Amino acid sequence: QVQLVESGGGLVQAGGSLRLSCAASRSLFSINVMGWHRQAPGKQRELVEAVTRGGTTNYADSVTGRFSISRDVAKNTVYLIMNSLKPEDTAVYYCNAVDAMGGSWGQGTQVTVSS
């Protein structure tokens, strides 16, 4: 399995920005899909944005035009850049990796957006 370490969460005002980081324990080229999911209190975990090894991205409609995902292959790190944050973006954000062995999850990082 892949070990994932997330960082970058915190408290921000509505309209602000945050960047989340997810460092993987091995090369991103060995991982089929890297992505970010989130879970708000009382709700199911949902996909936010993901990127395949080939660079294809998939994202939730609710974050279109506001969030983007990027990779630094030299650092084995994936980033979630979040702009124009809204209170409804408040959730625990989890990094996820899918490879031939299955899926792995990070420990999660809290993002709180105040109105």
Side-chain angles (χ1 to χ4, degrees):
Q1 282 191 328
V2 182
Q3 272 68 55
L4 303 169
V5 178
E6 300 134 335
S7 60
L11 174 64
V12 63
Q13 288 187 333
S17 299
L18 280 175
R19 187 183 77 164
L20 306 182
S21 301
C22 174
S25 58
R26 65 173 196 257
S27 170
L28 298 183
F29 292 121
S30 69
I31 301 170
N32 294 333
V33 182
M34 290 285 295
W36 289 93
H37 292 67
R38 66 186 180 187
Q39 187 166 19
K43 294 187 177 181
Q44 289 187 330
R45 192 172 297 189
E46 62 174 0
L47 172 70
V48 178
E49 193 154 357
V51 59
T52 68
R53 182 169 50 195
T56 301
T57 58
N58 183 31
Y59 49 88
D61 290 342
S62 60
V63 305
T64 302
R66 300 189 299 123
F67 291 11
S68 62
I69 193 168
S70 67
R71 299 177 295 178
D72 185 335
V73 295
K75 296 182 178 179
N76 296 337
T77 299
V78 173
Y79 303 97
L80 183 68
I81 298 97
M82 305 185 292
N83 297 315
S84 301
L85 282 160
K86 303 176 181 180
E88 51 263 43
D89 295 318
T90 295
V92 178
Y93 284 69
Y94 297 91
C95 183
N96 170 253
V98 180
D99 62 7
M101 300 299 291
S104 301
W105 292 92
Q107 79 282 3
T109 185
Q110 177 70 46
V111 171
T112 302
V113 184
S114 63
S115 57

